[in-house]
């Protein structure tokens, strides 16, 4: 497994296999319920990322408020002092989204399984089809407001130039040639690094090396000392790049989860093409 | 009178941008005699999929089938 400045955020399959029975380690399958039922890592609980969003919020991809998230996390059996290992079966889009939400709510020990269940299966490791019996815990979320960027935060950052805006959508979405909102384009001043450019691996999902990722972000003027706001269309790809930046040692990163889904549909907000 | 055949896209458990990509791929592949039913449980896709339906010339109806689950029915405009 390649090394990264914040390597604690990436968990190897060897480490997880050695800690399957560790009561302080909680494994979370972030996929949908049907894929979890088809087979999951032994001991994993299922917490589909679709359950993390607040359906009552006009910003579609806004996570539940703390009091509701406490119930969601508690019903998954998570405890505040758990070491949480998240996985999915793709390029860690779902795992990253849950990673971001857990950091948003102040969970201190959370990482993503390198290669997810795809690597686990490729290594012929054990799989379970038994749903975990979960005892509801008393999880207490602690909102870390600096992990979330709102529309007003982005507007302020544009004015004060206090943060770099990172648009992680495709170049076609960034330029406005492809639009999934009422208008195409991007937030003024945002730099474009497509989230897919961070991916390595062929058959097994992986992240590019530290050197490759550093060069990728260096090319648009980013470095770990900068404050960065990531965004995409609905805050999921942005959470993936958020995770990659955290892996590279960036401390001051937030996710504008409203993203272009909110910004592009509000004609009062400035846009560039 | 021709009978339309149904193409099902089950994107439940998927998050942005996967439901959109699967829906667009189905629309591009389908002929005019197809009805596409897209199952989703990720609410932001309720914004992105209709936009692409309009661009690609498909009518869309949305039915809430459960708690945070929807069926989107796509029919090619005649």
């Amino acid at each position: 497994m390649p090394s990264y400045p914040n390597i604690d955020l990436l968990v190897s399959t060897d480490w997880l296999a050695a800690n399957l029975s560790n009561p302080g380690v909680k494994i979370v399958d972030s996929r949908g319920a049907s894929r979890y039922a088809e087979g999951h890592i032994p001991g994993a609980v299922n917490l589909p990322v679709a359950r993390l969003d607040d359906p009552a919020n006009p910003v579609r991809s806004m996570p539940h408020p703390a009091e509701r998230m406490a119930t969601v996390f508690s019903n998954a059996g998570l405890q505040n002092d758990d070491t949480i290992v998240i996985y999915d079966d793709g390029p860690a889009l779902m795992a990253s989204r849950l990673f971001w939400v857990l950091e948003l709510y102040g969970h201190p020990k959370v990482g993503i399984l390198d290669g997810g269940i795809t690597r686990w299966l490729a290594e012929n490791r054990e799989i379970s089809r038994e749903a975990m019996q979960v005892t509801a815990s008393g999880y207490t979320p602690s909102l870390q407001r600096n992990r979330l960027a709102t529309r007003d935060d982005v507007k302020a950052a544009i004015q004060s130039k206090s943060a770099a805006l990172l648009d992680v959508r495709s170049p076609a979405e960034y330029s406005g040639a492809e639009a999934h909102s009422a208008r195409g384009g991007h937030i003024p001043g945002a730099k474009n690094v497509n989230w897919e450019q961070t991916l390595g691996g062929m058959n097994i999902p992986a992240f590019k090396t530290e050197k490759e990722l550093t060069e990728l972000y260096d090319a648009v003027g980013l470095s770990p000392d900068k404050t960065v706001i990531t965004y995409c269309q609905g805050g999921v790809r942005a959470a993936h790049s958020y995770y990659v930046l955290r892996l590279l040692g960036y401390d001051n990163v937030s996710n504008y989860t409203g993203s272009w889904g909110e910004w592009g549909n509000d004609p009062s907000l400035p846009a560039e093409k | 009178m021709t009978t339309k055949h149904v193409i099902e896209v089950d994107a439940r458990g998927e998050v942005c941008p996967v439901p959109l990509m699967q829906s667009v791929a189905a629309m591009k592949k389908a002929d005019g005699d197809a009805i596409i039913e897209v199952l989703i449980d990720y609410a932001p896709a309720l914004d992105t999929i209709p936009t692409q339906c309009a661009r690609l010339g498909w009518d869309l109806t949305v039915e809430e089938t459960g708690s945070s689950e929807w069926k989107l029915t796509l029919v090619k405009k005649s």
Side-chain angles (χ1 to χ4, degrees):
Chain A
M1 190 168 89
S3 186
Y4 301 93
N6 229 346
I7 192 64
D8 286 352
L9 304 184
L10 190 63
V11 177
S12 72
T13 48
D14 282 342
W15 185 92
L16 186 60
N19 283 274
L20 283 181
S21 303
N22 184 337
V25 174
K26 199 68 58 69
I27 310 167
V28 181
D29 186 321
S30 59
R31 302 174 298 164
S34 57
R35 276 193 275 173
Y36 172 81
E38 288 168 7
H40 53 265
I41 294 176
V45 297
N46 187 211
L47 181 48
V49 290
R51 282 193 216 152
L52 302 173
D53 295 344
D54 179 6
N57 197 304
V59 177
R60 289 257 195 221
S61 54
M62 188 64 73
H64 293 295
E67 62 273 18
R68 173 66 189 145
M69 197 62 83
T71 304
V72 172
F73 287 167
S74 293
N75 288 346
L78 306 185
Q79 302 191 60
N80 289 77
D81 58 354
D82 281 337
T83 295
I84 296 177
V85 181
I86 316 166
Y87 70 86
D88 61 28
D89 56 9
L93 271 174
M94 289 182 262
S96 299
R97 177 73 181 177
L98 178 54
F99 175 90
W100 169 67
V101 171
L102 281 162
E103 284 213 324
L104 175 65
Y105 281 115
H107 197 88
K109 292 179 288 184
V110 54
I112 289 178
L113 181 64
D114 183 34
I117 196 169
T118 309
R119 181 182 298 281
W120 187 268
L121 288 166
E123 293 171 348
N124 293 314
R125 297 184 190 270
E126 188 186 352
I127 285 291
S128 170
R129 290 182 178 78
E130 286 180 33
M132 278 292 292
Q133 299 303 310
V134 176
T135 303
S137 62
Y139 196 96
T140 307
S142 171
L143 179 66
Q144 306 299 300
R145 183 60 181 77
N146 60 327
R147 295 295 181 203
L148 171 70
T150 64
R151 180 181 61 179
D152 287 343
D153 294 331
V154 175
K155 285 166 70 176
I158 293 171
Q159 274 202 324
S160 64
K161 295 183 168 42
S162 56
L165 290 165
L166 184 64
D167 185 323
V168 309
R169 299 173 299 162
S170 69
E173 291 172 277
Y174 176 78
S175 70
E178 181 183 332
H180 305 303
S181 292
R183 59 184 170 157
H186 57 267
I187 298 174
K191 303 295 185 187
N192 184 215
V193 177
N194 186 349
W195 74 281
E196 289 181 320
Q197 289 181 267
T198 67
L199 304 178
M202 293 291 286
N203 299 322
I204 295 175
F207 298 100
K208 282 184 174 166
T209 65
E210 178 193 359
K211 181 174 182 292
E212 290 168 328
L213 293 171
T214 298
E215 287 173 359
L216 190 63
Y217 292 122
D218 184 61
V220 294
L222 298 188
S223 52
D225 59 308
K226 297 271 172 61
T227 297
V228 183
I229 298 172
T230 62
Y231 77 92
C232 57
Q233 177 69 31
V236 174
R237 290 173 286 177
H240 187 278
S241 293
Y242 168 96
Y243 172 78
V244 172
L245 293 172
R246 295 281 294 118
L247 192 61
L248 289 175
Y250 287 65
D251 285 331
N252 301 312
V253 193
S254 58
N255 177 0
Y256 171 36
T257 194
S259 282
W260 195 252
E262 178 183 41
W263 195 279
N265 283 319
D266 185 341
S268 74
L269 297 170
E272 285 180 352
K273 284 194 174 179
Chain B
M1 182 177 152
T2 56
T3 305
K4 291 186 181 289
H5 58 280
V6 176
I7 299 170
E8 184 177 287
V9 177
D10 188 351
R12 288 175 296 179
E14 300 286 1
V15 294
C16 169
V18 177
L20 173 68
M21 290 163 58
Q22 291 180 340
S23 301
V24 169
M27 283 187 276
K28 287 184 174 173
K29 191 177 172 187
D31 55 43
D33 289 331
I35 292 174
I36 302 172
E37 292 182 348
V38 183
L39 306 176
I40 59 169
D41 58 8
Y42 194 65
L46 291 171
D47 292 331
T48 55
I49 294 174
T51 308
Q52 291 310 305
C53 285
R55 286 176 202 277
L56 295 171
W58 289 72
D59 285 321
L60 171 138
T61 55
V62 179
E63 176 189 355
E64 189 162 6
T65 53
S67 175
S68 294
E69 284 200 15
W70 299 269
K71 181 170 83 174
L72 281 56
T73 304
L74 284 53
V75 179
K76 185 77 175 169
K77 288 179 179 170
S78 50

